[in-house]
Amino acid sequence: MSAETMGLRESKKQETRQLISDHATRLFLAQGFEQTTIAEIAAAARVAKKTVTNYFPRKEDLALDHHEAFVESLARAVADRTEGESALAALRRYFLTAVEERSPVAGFAGYEFAHMISESPTLTARLRELHDQREEALAEALAEGAGGSRGEGERIAPRAAATLLAAAQRLLFERIQELTLAGRSTDRIAGTVAKEAAYVFDLLAPSLGDHPDARRG
């Protein structure tokens, strides 16, 4: 198979995946997540039910389509930080950039989407699970970046740092959702959360700013 043929096939797969996701989102917003079935999504996208589940093994993943990027986001920000930059500084920069870009991974998804999640026990539980997975990925990234040997009591340090850093990100994500559901405009939310984020990260600075497991280099 030629590279061109493989490229076209991959492009077709991405188009089909996006088509299914778009129709699923439309139905979820119109009917509610719990009330919408895989059969309805398949019919709307004009594909087989098996095609839907091949692309999205879990129904929740149809709604939370950015779940992979979400889980990897904090670990990637830490792994890609500059020489000598602390994990705290990298994650502060990551979050403020996400706010500037109004990124859905940071929580900017609009009122209808935020309301859909808040009204669905299944999606609320899945979102909590994704936050937990994001923290685990961050802990692994911090552990991989740690240099030198540690005593028995210090071995928990990467996990402790990840718990604090991920909790701050979770708090700010939930704050964006809270303000969205309160009917605030996107720009107003961004302005409010940027100030609150600065305060939150400043609170963490005394304990994590120079943490040996949180600094690259």
Side-chain angles (χ1 to χ4, degrees), residues 70 94-95 98-99 102-108 172-174 176-177:
F70 180 84
Y94 155 77
F95 182 77
V99 170
R102 313 299 195 259
S103 170
V105 175
F108 290 93
L172 294 168
F173 180 97
E174 292 174 349
I176 291 172
Q177 296 287 290

Side-chain angles (χ1 to χ4, degrees), residues 80-169:
D80 293 344
R81 67 193 190 276
T82 59
E83 190 77 16
E85 184 180 29
S86 70
L88 175 61
L91 292 175
R92 179 196 291 255
R93 177 167 50 81
Y94 155 77
F95 182 77
L96 293 177
T97 298
V99 170
E100 290 179 3
E101 296 174 351
R102 313 299 195 259
S103 170
V105 175
F108 290 93
Y111 176 84
E112 290 184 338
F113 197 85
H115 184 262
M116 176 189 71
I117 292 176
S118 69
E119 291 295 305
S120 168
T122 303
L123 289 179
T124 300
R126 176 57 173 158
L127 190 55
R128 285 197 299 267
E129 182 182 357
L130 292 175
H131 277 293
D132 290 342
Q133 290 176 4
R134 186 164 72 155
E135 179 182 321
E136 292 171 8
L138 176 59
E140 291 176 5
L142 290 175
E144 289 175 5
S149 60
R150 295 191 294 271
E152 185 173 347
E154 296 175 319
R155 292 172 188 167
I156 200 171
R159 288 172 56 191
T163 297
L164 294 172
L165 292 166
Q169 297 281 341

Side-chain angles (χ1 to χ4, degrees), residues 48-81:
K49 285 177 61 177
K50 186 175 181 180
T51 301
V52 174
T53 55
N54 282 342
Y55 282 98
F56 300 93
R58 298 178 62 161
K59 182 183 171 184
E60 301 95 297
D61 293 340
L62 281 158
L64 302 171
D65 196 21
H66 297 282
H67 65 279
E68 292 179 353
F70 180 84
V71 169
E72 297 171 358
S73 59
L74 303 186
R76 184 174 297 278
V78 166
D80 293 344
R81 67 193 190 276

